[in-house]
Amino acid sequence: MEEANHVTPQPPADKTAHNTTNKAGRTADAASAGSSGSADTGSPADTRNTGPGRLLIAVYAVFAISATARAGFQILTKFSEAPLAYLLSAFAALVYLVATVSLAKPGRTWFKISVTAVLVELLGVLVVGALSVFDSVNFPHETVWSLFGRGYGFIPLLLPILGLIWLYRRRPAPQQA
């Protein structure tokens, strides 16, 4: 992970192809002109979806697929047995899907969505994990987050912690006024 800290964006090989002319007639680099524009544009330094970030995205994608399949099967075949647990599985699948997409997309807005999704995931794992231990009557069947993700090797508990660390290390630079 340390190698990714030393990544520096490379300027375009042909500067003349990326220049724009502003109102004062001066030439400005398109990357610097775009950085003061929309907050949604990704910058060359936006490296959330490179290196170890790709592995994080892949793990989130696997969890999105597996949680969706599990929740779909549970809801379609035995919803009446544990409706709360199965609806929480569906919610977990949605959170994993949003986290996967937002981690893969560049830009400040997607970064904020990533942080929110990963925080919701961590809160969900902690709350559902604790409830499944102390209120097992409402959780007769396991969800992705039951018992802090025991059925998935506690990866659901570890994943948001790693995700938050990664997002902290890859947070966008403050906007210039």
Side-chain angles (χ1 to χ4, degrees), residues 16 18-30 33:
T16 58
H18 298 284
N19 289 343
T20 58
T21 305
N22 61 21
K23 292 180 183 177
R26 295 187 187 133
T27 304
D29 185 5

Side-chain angles (χ1 to χ4, degrees), residues 36-63:
S36 63
S38 170
D40 286 348
T41 59
S43 68
D46 192 350
T47 59
R48 285 192 325 274
N49 59 2
T50 61
R54 288 185 185 197
L55 177 61
L56 187 67
I57 293 166
V59 173
Y60 269 103
V62 167
F63 270 82

Side-chain angles (χ1 to χ4, degrees), residues 33-138:
S35 65
S36 63
S38 170
D40 286 348
T41 59
S43 68
D46 192 350
T47 59
R48 285 192 325 274
N49 59 2
T50 61
R54 288 185 185 197
L55 177 61
L56 187 67
I57 293 166
V59 173
Y60 269 103
V62 167
F63 270 82
I65 292 166
S66 66
T68 300
R70 178 180 189 154
F73 175 78
Q74 290 170 329
I75 289 171
L76 290 174
T77 61
K78 46 189 176 180
F79 183 72
S80 61
E81 294 176 23
L84 178 62
Y86 299 152
L87 289 175
L88 285 170
S89 283
F91 179 72
L94 180 64
V95 170
Y96 285 126
L97 180 65
V98 170
T100 302
V101 171
S102 63
L103 283 166
K105 299 272 190 177
R108 188 173 299 276
T109 300
W110 286 110
F111 174 81
K112 291 176 183 178
I113 293 170
S114 294
V115 170
T116 302
V118 174
L119 282 172
V120 167
E121 175 195 4
L122 180 60
L123 184 63
V125 171
L126 293 174
V127 169
V128 172
L131 286 174
S132 64
V133 170
F134 297 114
D135 186 17
S136 59
V137 173
N138 283 319

